[in-house]
Amino acid sequence: MSQFTISGQFDGRDGPRSFSKDIEAVNENVAREHILSQFGSEHGLKRTQVTIEEVVAA
C-alpha cells in the first residue's frame, strides 16, 4: 500500500474550508474514494460538496 497526501476544499458553514489529509491506499482512485467517504460520514457532506484539488504520492 502507498501513502497519499490529499488536499482540497469542502463546503463549511462559513464558506469553503481547506483540508489536507494523509491516507494509505492501494492507488490514487481508492484514496480519493476513501476521503469522500470519510467526509460524508464525519461531516455529513455529499460528494459534490468536497473538491479534491491535489493527490500526491508520498
Side-chain angles (χ1 to χ4, degrees), residues 4 8 11 14 16-17 20-21 27 32-33 48 50 52 55:
F4 293 94
D11 295 339
D14 300 328
R17 300 204 42 195
S20 179
K21 293 197 175 253
N27 59 38
R32 286 175 181 269
E33 289 297 317
T48 58
V50 179
I52 296 174
V55 180

Side-chain angles (χ1 to χ4, degrees), residues 1-7 19 21-39 47 50 52 54-58:
M1 295 239 258
S2 300
Q3 187 78 16
F4 293 94
T5 301
I6 301 176
S7 59
F19 71 88
K21 293 197 175 253
D22 294 327
I23 197 146
E24 193 171 305
V26 177
N27 59 38
E28 183 179 322
N29 290 334
V30 173
R32 286 175 181 269
E33 289 297 317
H34 190 275
I35 287 294
L36 293 172
S37 173
Q38 188 175 11
F39 272 104
R47 290 173 179 257
V50 179
I52 296 174
E54 184 178 36
V55 180
V56 178

